[in-house]
Amino acid sequence: MPLGQRQGDNGEARYCGAEAAFSSDIQQSLSFALGGSFDFIVAPLTDPVYRPSKAQQDAEGSAIVPPFSGSDLVLSPSQWNSHIVGKISTWLDLDSPDALMRSDSETTLKQEAGWASHLSLQACLLPTPRPLSCGNYARCVNQVLQGLSNMQSNSAVETIEALTESSLDMSSHLQLWLRIPLVSPAMEAAQGTENEDLLFLERDEITGRFKNDTWEWWNMFRTLCEHHSQLSVALDITAELPAPNAIKRWIGEPLRAAILHTSAFLTNKRGYPCLSKQHQNLITTLFTHNVQIVISGDCLHQVDEPPPPSTDANSNGAEDVYHAKHPLKSYLEYVSHLYRKMDPPTEQERFEMGYRDFLQAPLQPLMDNLEAQTYETFEKDSTKYSQYQKAVRAALLDRVPDRKVATTTTVLMVVGAGRGPLVRASLQAAEETGRKLRVYAVEKNPNAVVTLHSLIKLEGWEDVVTVISCDMRRWNAPEQADILVSELLGSFGDNELSPECLDGAQRFLKKDGISIPSSYTSFIGPITASKLHNDVKSYADLAHFETAYVVKFHSVARLAPPQPVFTFDHPNLETLMDNKRYVKLKFELSPDTGSALVHGFGGYFDAVLYKDVHLGIEPSTATPNMFSWFAIFFPLRKPIYIPAGSVLELHFWRCVGPTKVWYEWAVTAPSVSPVHNVNGRSYWVGL
C-alpha cells in the first residue's frame, strides 16, 4: 500500500519496494512482500547459479530454457507490470578478462532483458559496473536499449531467439536502472581512517578521473550508451553520505530509485530503526523529486512482534492463519513516517506540478496576440500585482507631496495594459495615497481592448481611464507621462523585448518621469538537466538545440550560483541607444561537488520596480509565491563534462537586427562548444 496520501501528490514516490532474494516461486515472494505493505519487489529473474555455458554442456544439444523465477502465467500481466522490478543477475561481469565469463554474462544479460520485456515489466535493475572500466558492459546494454533484432548471443543457445526476437523491442518502454553506490565501497570502508583522504584523491591511471567518485562511474556508462532516455540510475544509500553538493548533482540525473540499506539506519531509544538527520533530509528530497525507495538488506533491529493468534478453531469452524511479519516491515514503517510528515504541496506547487520540467516556447508578445486563457493565468498572480501596486504607491508619494495633493493630477500610462490588472493596481495605489490620476491604457491586442472597455465601464472609470488601441511604439501621446508602468518582462528579463518597447515609449515620458520597472538584470547559471536534454534531443534536429525554452525547473541541479548577464535601465538616458550586449562569464563549481555534466544554462531575472520594491525569479532573491514567470533554459547541443576543480567559461550575446532580436551562446572551457543559434537561424523574437 502507498506510504501515505498527501493532497495533490500522485507521484510514484508514494510506492516503496523491497529487494528480494531469488525464489522459484515468485508468486509467494510477491505475496509475502504485499502482505508486509510493500508495493513492489525487486527480484532476480533467473536462478543465480545459472551459467549459459554450463547449461549448454549439461543439455547435450537439447534446447535450453533458462531457470527463470516462474512462468509468465504465475502472475497476471498487471501484477508483472505493477509489482515486479526485474533484477538482472549480479554475478555478471561483462568487462572480465575471462572470455567465458564475458560470454556468459552477455548471453544472460540479453536473455533476462528479453524475458523482462516479454513480461512487460516497467524496469530492470542492472548490476553495478566496474569503476571506470565498463566499455563492454555499456556496449551490450546499449544494444538492448537500441532494440537490435540480433539480440541473441553468438553462442549456441538457440532458445534465446524464440524468447526475445520480438520482446526486445524497446517500444515496451522498459526502463533499465543502473545500480550505482552513492559512496564507493572503498570510501565507505576507509571512513575515519588515515587512508580516507588518499582514497578520495585517487585518480584512474588511464582516464585521470577520480576513481572513487561514483558519479564518474555513472557518467562514463551513460555516455557510452549515448545518454539513452530509457537508461536511469538507482542509487545505493548506506550509512555514509558524501558532501551535500556532491549529492545535489544527482537531482539533475535520471534518478528513478534509491535503494536504502538497513545498515543506514540507527536505533532509537525504543529499539526501532531510525535515520540520521542528514539521511532524513536526503530521503525527503528524493520524495519531492518522485524517486521511489527500495529497502534492502537483512533485518538488523530486533523489534518485538505480537504473539501469533491462537490456532484453535473459531466460532465458524475455521482456523486463524498466522502470517509471519516481513523482516523489513519496521524499516518500511519508518520510511512511511517520513513521507507522511512532509508538508502537503502548497496551492502554488499544485498549480506548477503540470509544468515541471516541461519545455514551453517563450511568448512572442509583439508578433502574437495573447489568448484569453493566457491572460487569465497571469492575472491570478496576486503577488506580482501587489508588488506593482507598492511601486506605484511609492512613486506617487514621491511625485506628489502632501501639500500639492489637491491641485495635482498625475498622468500615468500603462503600456501593454492587457485586460487591465495594472490599471486596477495603479488606481488602488492612488486611492491608498489620496493622489489623483489620469490613466492612459495602451494595448495593441484588439481582443484585450474589448475587455478593457468592459472593465472600465463596469468599474465606473470612464472619467479617469482612456483606452488606446495601438502599438506603444507608434502612438503619439497627447501629453507626457509622469509615470510609465509596463509589464513586458520575460523569464530572462529582456527576452520579450522590453528594452525595445520601453525605449520607443519613453518619448512620451517627462524628463524627470518615473518608469516602473526602473531596471532589470538577467542572470544565468550552469545546470544538470538530463530530462530536459533528452526531451530536446527527441526532436532530432539542430533547431531545437538552439532554442530557448520556458521551464519550471524541478529535477534540475544548479551547479553554480547564477551570475548577472545584461542590465537595462529605464528611462534609457544613453545618447545612442544600443541594446546589443555581450558578456563572458566564468563559473566555478564548489570544491565538494566533484565532477558534473552541464546540459545547458538556466536563465532568470531580477527587476527593480521602484527604489526598494523588487520583483524577480533569480533563485537567491526570488519573490515568494509568484508564478507568472518560470526560468528559461538555454540547451547545449552536446553536454559539457566539467572535471572536478575546473572552470566553465560561457560567452553570451544579445543580438539586434532590423526585424528581430536573438541570443547566441557558446562554451570555451573546459571544452569548446559550437556557437549556438548563429544569426538567429533557429530562435529569435520578432520586433
Side-chain angles (χ1 to χ4, degrees):
M1 58 184 296
L3 295 172
Q5 183 62 54
R6 298 164 62 233
Q7 183 180 4
D9 183 4
N10 297 312
E12 294 181 355
R14 296 178 298 147
Y15 303 109
C16 185
E19 188 169 13
F22 173 79
S23 171
S24 57
D25 186 357
I26 197 170
Q27 185 180 31
Q28 193 279 332
S29 294
L30 178 60
S31 297
F32 185 49
L34 295 179
S37 298
F38 288 95
D39 297 294
F40 64 94
I41 60 173
V42 180
L45 296 176
T46 59
D47 192 321
V49 302
Y50 168 66
R51 300 294 185 275
S53 57
K54 180 70 164 59
Q56 184 63 33
Q57 293 173 6
D58 296 344
E60 297 180 351
S62 302
I64 299 170
V65 177
F68 292 131
S69 55
S71 159
D72 54 356
L73 299 177
V74 299
L75 298 175
S76 69
S78 63
Q79 286 177 312
W80 283 113
N81 182 262
S82 302
H83 299 298
I84 304 293
V85 171
K87 183 179 176 183
I88 303 297
S89 293
T90 57
W91 59 263
L92 301 187
D93 187 357
L94 287 98
D95 292 282
S96 169
D98 183 275
L100 183 59
M101 171 59 84
R102 291 197 305 272
S103 176
D104 276 354
S105 298
E106 182 172 345
T107 298
T108 304
L109 170 66
K110 293 173 180 177
Q111 286 176 332
E112 292 182 354
W115 183 240
S117 185
H118 169 73
L119 296 172
S120 298
L121 301 190
Q122 291 192 37
C124 274
L125 181 66
L126 297 170
T128 305
R130 287 190 175 212
L132 300 177
S133 180
C134 58
N136 192 51
Y137 184 12
R139 178 190 70 88
C140 294
V141 169
N142 200 24
Q143 286 183 341
V144 174
L145 290 167
Q146 299 301 330
L148 300 179
S149 60
N150 59 338
M151 289 304 297
Q152 64 273 17
S153 73
N154 293 327
S155 65
V157 183
E158 298 294 333
T159 310
I160 185 64
E161 183 172 359
L163 285 170
T164 67
E165 187 175 72
S166 61
S167 64
L168 271 167
D169 176 7
M170 289 296 112
S171 63
S172 63
H173 304 295
L174 174 69
Q175 288 280 333
L176 299 183
W177 297 350
L178 184 66
R179 189 170 194 162
I180 298 289
L182 189 55
V183 175
S184 75
M187 284 297 300
E188 186 155 22
Q191 286 289 332
T193 70
E194 58 184 15
N195 293 327
E196 182 178 354
D197 291 341
L198 291 175
L199 278 172
F200 180 77
L201 297 173
E202 184 180 359
R203 292 182 181 268
D204 182 69
E205 294 179 0
I206 298 175
T207 65
R209 301 183 179 188
F210 286 115
K211 195 172 183 179
N212 287 298
D213 183 354
T214 59
W215 179 90
E216 295 278 16
W217 308 359
W218 156 250
N219 186 54
M220 176 175 283
F221 196 97
R222 60 95 171 270
T223 302
L224 288 165
C225 291
E226 306 174 272
H227 301 263
H228 200 285
S229 60
Q230 287 172 250
L231 177 65
S232 307
V233 64
L235 286 177
D236 270 309
I237 299 175
T238 53
E240 301 296 335
L241 295 179
N245 282 319
I247 294 176
K248 185 174 69 174
R249 61 187 163 164
W250 287 104
I251 298 302
E253 302 291 357
L255 181 57
R256 294 290 180 270
I259 303 169
L260 183 59
H261 289 251
T262 54
S263 62
F265 287 81
L266 305 174
T267 305
N268 67 14
K269 293 180 180 179
R270 299 174 56 203
Y272 285 84
C274 63
L275 290 172
S276 69
K277 193 66 176 177
Q278 292 83 356
H279 280 81
Q280 291 180 45
N281 292 338
L282 173 58
I283 298 303
T284 301
T285 299
L286 295 176
F287 282 148
T288 61
H289 286 86
N290 211 28
V291 177
Q292 293 183 299
I293 304 298
V294 177
I295 298 176
S296 174
D298 297 325
C299 179
L300 304 178
H301 295 74
Q302 301 304 317
V303 179
D304 292 335
E305 295 185 46
S310 169
T311 57
D312 295 337
N314 59 28
S315 59
N316 295 323
E319 291 187 352
D320 292 325
V321 179
Y322 173 59
H323 295 284
K325 179 180 179 180
H326 196 288
L328 301 181
K329 179 68 179 289
S330 58
Y331 302 95
L332 171 65
E333 290 171 344
Y334 183 81
V335 171
S336 179
H337 161 70
L338 291 182
Y339 183 86
R340 292 195 307 271
K341 78 173 188 177
M342 293 170 60
D343 293 331
T346 64
E347 182 180 353
Q348 180 179 350
E349 287 172 335
R350 291 197 296 272
F351 167 79
E352 293 172 347
M353 279 181 181
Y355 298 97
R356 286 176 174 175
D357 298 324
F358 179 76
L359 301 174
Q360 301 178 73
L363 296 175
Q364 292 268 9
L366 296 189
M367 295 178 61
D368 304 326
N369 290 325
L370 301 184
E371 297 176 350
Q373 184 176 1
T374 305
Y375 281 119
E376 183 176 0
T377 299
F378 290 151
E379 289 164 6
K380 290 178 179 178
D381 194 341
S382 59
T383 300
K384 173 177 64 177
Y385 296 111
S386 174
Q387 292 299 98
Y388 268 98
Q389 186 171 326
K390 289 178 183 177
V392 174
R393 181 181 186 277
L396 286 172
L397 290 173
D398 286 349
R399 193 78 182 171
V400 183
D402 290 343
R403 66 180 184 276
K404 294 185 178 181
V405 168
T407 59
T408 303
T409 298
T410 301
V411 177
L412 183 145
M413 296 180 180
V414 179
V415 290
R419 302 197 307 183
L422 284 182
V423 174
R424 182 185 297 277
S426 299
L427 291 173
Q428 287 174 341
E431 184 177 352
E432 287 178 0
T433 59
R435 269 60 176 172
K436 293 187 288 186
L437 277 187
R438 181 161 60 253
V439 178
Y440 292 89
V442 185
E443 175 55 49
K444 74 173 184 63
N445 184 350
N447 302 309
V449 167
V450 173
T451 308
L452 261 177
H453 280 295
S454 298
L455 175 68
I456 290 166
K457 185 176 181 180
L458 178 67
E459 297 289 348
W461 295 338
E462 292 93 338
D463 295 335
V464 181
V465 180
T466 301
V467 176
I468 308 297
S469 181
C470 182
D471 188 319
M472 70 185 77
R473 296 170 296 173
R474 299 177 178 85
W475 178 46
N476 293 315
E479 59 182 321
Q480 289 195 308
D482 296 286
I483 301 174
L484 188 68
V485 183
S486 64
E487 188 184 357
L488 305 170
L489 297 170
S491 298
F492 202 49
D494 59 86
N495 63 297
E496 293 184 10
L497 306 190
S498 179
E500 285 71 24
C501 292
L502 294 183
D503 286 352
Q506 77 176 39
R507 69 185 185 279
F508 41 78
L509 180 66
K510 293 177 181 177
K511 289 185 178 181
D512 64 341
I514 297 170
S515 174
I516 299 176
S518 61
S519 70
Y520 40 89
T521 300
S522 52
F523 288 79
I524 202 166
I527 60 173
T528 295
S530 180
K531 180 186 182 301
L532 298 182
H533 173 80
N534 280 326
D535 287 349
V536 176
K537 188 174 71 171
S538 68
Y539 289 101
D541 62 22
L542 173 66
H544 283 83
F545 272 116
E546 297 188 333
T547 297
Y549 301 92
V550 173
V551 181
K552 174 57 184 175
F553 288 156
H554 186 61
S555 293
V556 166
R558 295 182 175 94
L559 300 173
Q563 295 184 23
V565 188
F566 308 133
T567 296
F568 294 89
D569 296 300
H570 299 288
N572 187 345
L573 302 179
E574 297 293 330
T575 304
L576 180 63
M577 293 185 184
D578 184 1
N579 291 323
K580 296 177 183 176
R581 298 285 193 276
Y582 163 69
V583 69
K584 179 171 67 174
L585 301 172
K586 293 182 179 179
F587 298 93
E588 295 186 22
L589 277 61
S590 175
D592 62 355
T593 298
S595 303
L597 199 69
V598 175
H599 293 101
F601 297 87
Y604 320 89
F605 79 90
D606 185 81
V608 176
L609 295 182
Y610 182 69
K611 291 188 173 178
D612 62 346
V613 183
H614 136 95
L615 192 74
I617 61 170
E618 194 279 314
S620 66
T621 60
T623 306
N625 304 317
M626 187 175 67
F627 55 81
S628 283
W629 295 276
F630 296 153
I632 195 166
F633 175 54
F634 295 94
L636 288 170
R637 286 156 60 179
K638 182 179 179 181
I640 300 288
Y641 169 71
I642 312 295
S646 61
V647 173
L648 173 67
E649 186 174 72
L650 168 68
H651 299 255
F652 208 91
W653 296 265
R654 187 182 197 267
C655 306
V656 180
T659 60
K660 65 182 183 180
V661 175
W662 70 96
Y663 300 105
E664 299 179 12
W665 60 97
V667 171
T668 52
S671 58
V672 180
S673 77
V675 176
H676 291 60
N677 198 35
V678 176
N679 290 327
R681 63 187 173 191
S682 301
Y683 160 67
W684 46 270
V685 186
L687 287 167

